[in-house]
Amino acid sequence: MKNKSINAVWHILLLCTTAVFVLLSCQKTEFMPELVGEEVPYKNEASQDVTQLLTKHNEAKVFLAAWQKSNIVALIKAAGVNTKVTVLVPTDNALKQAGITLETIQKMTTEEAADFIQFYSFLGDLNQIKLGKYSLMVRSMLKNQNYRVPFYDNTEPVGRRYDIYAYRHYLAVKDGDLLVNGKSKGKLAYEPATNGGVYMLEKVIEKPTMTILEALIADGRFTFFVESQRLSEEMFYEKMLDDIEPLWGYRMSKEEFLSYYPEARAPYQRGWDVDSGPSYNESPNLTLTATFAPTDDAFRKAGFNSVADILAFNAKRGDVRYDDIYFEPRGAYPTDTLFSFHRNWGRVFATKDPAYGIALSNNTVFYSNDLDPVLLNDYYVNVGGSGQVQYAYKMPLSFSKNANQIQMKVKEAEQAPINIIDTDINTVNGPIHVVDNLLLPKGFKLK
C-alpha cells in the first residue's frame, strides 16, 4: 500500500508542478536540468582541461594562483579517476572589489587556498544548456562539519541519517545573466573542459556565515519579529508554571516542566538556527528553507508599536493553558498562526494522514527568481513518505507580480497582496526575503 501511495504522489507532482523543479527538489541527487521542449543535443568538443582553461584566461590570474596553491587537483582525483568538476571563476576585477588580490592568495596556507577554491567548485559536468530560469542547486566541494542536513546520496554508513553540510549554490539564467543565489554575477560565460567546465563571474559569491536567526538579529530590521517569538515562548512557560503550581503544590522549574513535557512548545529557534541537544546528535541539525521576514515597520502598519503590544495581543487572544483534566499543555497564541506563514510555509494548517501524520517536507529553498506563480502556486510543500496521496499539502501562499514587484498573500485571504521589498539575503540554511506587511490568513482579525 505504501509503494502505491508513493507512486501516486510522484504522478501528481509530475502533472501539477513544473517537471524540472519537482525532480530537482524531490529526488535524492537534487541535481537535474530544466526540461523545456525537446532536449538539445550537447557534444563536448573541448580540448583543454580546467587547469589549462584557467591558465589561458588573463582576467583570472588571482583565481589561478589560488588553484595552483591549493591541492584541488588531488582532491578531484580522490573523488574518482574520471571525476569531472565545474568551476565558478570570479575575475580578477571581481576579486579585487571583494578585497582579494594576488598578495591575499600568497598569504593563504594550502588549506585556506583549498577551502577558497572548493567553495567555487562542484563535482559534475554542468554545461550551460542545463540551466534555466528556475534555480538549480549544486553542492560545492566545501563542507562545514558543524552542520548536518538530511541525506541525499546515501553514500554514508548504513543507519546514518544525515549528510555533512556542503555550501550550496543555486544557479539560473535570466536575461542572459548567470544568477547565483538569486543575484546576477554577470553575463553567462561558459567554457567546456575535457574534465568539466568553467563559468566566469563578474562578481564574487559571498559565502554565508550566519544562520537565518543570526542574520535576522544582525540585520536590525526584524526586532519585533524575533523578540516577540522569543518572549512569547518565555510567556508560555510562565503560564504553564503558574497553572501547575496550585495543582502540584509547588512551583517547578522550567527544566523540570520540560522533563515531563519536552515537546510542549517548539523552541522559536528551531528551523532558524542550529538545533542542539542530545536528541540531535545523530540527526540533521539544520533546516534548509526560505523565510519571509516582516520588518518592524510592517508590524507598525498592523497596529503594533512595540514588542509589548504583540505580547499583549497574544495574552488577550491566546488560549494557552495547562489542562487540569487531561494534565497536559493546551492552546496557542494567535501569532503562532501568523508567523507560520512567514517562516514555515503555513504548515500549522498542513493536512495530516490520520495514520501517518504530515507528509514529508518538500524543498522550500526558493530565491527571488523562483518566486513565480507558475512554479509555486500549485507546488506541494509536503508530499510523499508513508502518507496517502490525498494528504499531500499544497502551497498555501499565492505569488504574483505587479510590474517588476514580487508580491504574495495567503490564498483565499481578504488581504491584498503584500510586497517583497528585499530579496535573497543568503544564509547557510537558505534565503531571507523581506516583506512590508504581515501575512494574514483568511478570517484572521488583528482587532
Side-chain angles (χ1 to χ4, degrees):
M1 184 64 186
K2 293 180 182 178
N3 289 337
K4 290 181 179 179
S5 297
I6 293 171
N7 291 336
V9 168
W10 283 111
H11 181 67
I12 287 178
L13 277 172
L14 290 171
L15 290 175
C16 299
T17 64
T18 303
V20 56
F21 207 88
V22 173
L23 289 171
L24 169 64
S25 61
C26 299
Q27 291 199 357
K28 287 184 178 180
T29 59
E30 283 206 3
F31 194 81
M32 295 292 291
E34 181 175 350
L35 304 177
V36 180
E38 295 184 3
E39 184 176 355
V40 179
Y42 175 76
K43 184 178 180 180
N44 188 341
E45 299 179 347
S47 59
Q48 296 179 306
D49 63 22
V50 169
T51 301
Q52 291 170 324
L53 283 183
L54 292 175
T55 302
K56 80 170 189 177
H57 275 286
N58 291 327
E59 70 273 27
K61 293 180 179 179
V62 177
F63 192 88
L64 174 63
W67 181 273
Q68 294 172 331
K69 187 164 189 175
S70 72
N71 60 343
I72 187 66
V73 174
L75 292 173
I76 296 169
K77 287 182 178 178
V81 66
N82 295 317
T83 299
K84 295 190 176 184
V85 62
T86 302
V87 188
L88 307 171
V89 182
T91 64
D92 292 346
N93 185 55
L95 290 171
K96 182 179 179 180
Q97 292 177 16
I100 300 173
T101 63
L102 280 173
E103 184 179 3
T104 308
I105 303 301
Q106 291 166 359
K107 292 179 180 179
M108 288 182 176
T109 64
T110 300
E111 292 74 18
E112 289 170 338
D115 285 353
F116 174 78
I117 293 297
Q118 285 185 92
F119 177 71
Y120 282 97
S121 305
F122 56 92
L123 299 179
D125 184 6
L126 180 66
N127 65 71
Q128 60 187 350
I129 294 176
K130 296 179 181 178
L131 297 179
K133 65 183 292 188
Y134 301 129
S135 295
L136 179 66
M137 188 277 282
V138 297
R139 283 168 290 167
S140 78
M141 295 178 66
L142 183 61
K143 296 186 176 183
N144 189 321
Q145 298 291 329
N146 295 320
Y147 307 133
R148 304 187 299 271
V149 294
F151 71 79
Y152 294 110
D153 291 337
N154 201 20
T155 58
E156 301 297 342
V158 174
R160 183 162 168 172
R161 294 178 290 177
Y162 63 86
D163 283 341
I164 297 299
Y165 175 86
Y167 289 93
R168 287 147 160 72
H169 304 308
Y170 292 78
L171 310 182
V173 176
K174 181 179 179 180
D175 299 329
D177 282 8
L178 175 65
L179 305 185
V180 181
N181 305 329
K183 301 294 187 184
S184 172
K185 299 302 175 184
K187 292 300 178 184
L188 178 64
Y190 172 77
E191 289 186 78
T194 55
N195 62 338
V198 169
Y199 287 89
M200 300 301 296
L201 309 182
E202 296 173 21
K203 296 179 182 178
V204 299
I205 305 171
E206 294 186 9
K207 184 173 77 173
T209 59
M210 294 184 283
T211 63
I212 290 173
L213 179 59
E214 290 169 336
L216 288 171
I217 293 172
D219 189 288
R221 289 179 289 175
F222 311 109
T223 304
F224 286 20
F225 189 38
V226 174
E227 283 298 287
S228 64
Q229 293 179 75
R230 183 181 70 83
L231 294 174
S232 290
E233 184 177 312
E234 292 185 8
M235 188 167 70
F236 172 87
Y237 288 113
E238 284 300 308
K239 182 65 166 66
M240 290 298 108
L241 301 182
D242 287 345
D243 287 357
I244 287 175
E245 185 172 1
L247 298 173
W248 292 36
Y250 72 99
R251 188 174 185 83
M252 66 173 62
S253 66
K254 176 183 174 182
E255 290 69 27
E256 183 180 1
F257 174 82
L258 287 172
S259 70
Y260 292 109
Y261 308 102
E263 298 297 325
R265 184 176 177 86
Y268 86 98
Q269 304 100 317
R270 185 176 295 173
W272 272 1
D273 207 7
V274 181
D275 289 329
S276 60
S279 62
Y280 293 100
N281 288 342
E282 298 300 328
S283 300
N285 65 1
L286 195 69
T287 300
L288 305 178
T289 191
T291 296
F292 300 96
T295 62
D296 293 349
D297 284 341
F299 282 91
R300 294 187 184 100
K301 288 180 182 178
F304 301 107
N305 294 313
S306 66
V307 173
D309 285 349
I310 304 171
L311 297 179
F313 175 71
N314 276 342
K316 181 179 180 180
R317 294 269 296 272
D319 62 346
V320 167
R321 67 200 184 282
Y322 183 80
D323 193 307
D324 58 2
I325 297 177
Y326 292 95
F327 293 98
E328 62 183 18
R330 293 287 182 93
Y333 294 122
T335 57
D336 295 342
T337 298
L338 285 182
F339 296 159
S340 180
F341 289 101
H342 285 276
R343 59 175 293 175
N344 196 33
W345 301 88
R347 286 189 174 99
V348 68
F349 292 119
T351 48
K352 296 181 180 179
D353 186 315
Y356 298 102
I358 190 172
L360 292 180
S361 294
N362 206 349
N363 171 53
T364 51
V365 178
F366 299 119
Y367 287 83
S368 56
N369 56 292
D370 305 317
L371 302 180
D372 184 292
V374 174
L375 174 67
L376 292 186
N377 285 2
D378 288 322
Y379 185 82
Y380 281 91
V381 175
N382 286 79
V383 64
S386 299
Q388 300 178 66
V389 174
Q390 62 266 36
Y391 296 107
Y393 176 54
K394 185 178 275 191
M395 174 65 70
L397 302 171
S398 174
F399 294 88
S400 58
K401 286 190 177 180
N402 183 6
N404 292 324
Q405 176 66 62
I406 304 173
Q407 297 183 315
M408 64 185 301
K409 61 175 290 186
V410 179
K411 287 180 179 177
E412 299 182 359
E414 298 84 357
Q415 180 187 34
I418 68 174
N419 296 319
I420 300 177
I421 58 175
D422 193 4
T423 60
D424 306 319
I425 301 172
N426 206 23
T427 73
V428 292
N429 45 338
I432 298 171
H433 304 298
V434 184
V435 293
D436 66 349
N437 277 285
L438 299 181
L439 287 165
L440 304 180
K442 182 179 180 180
F444 192 94
K445 304 297 182 182
L446 292 172
K447 295 183 180 179

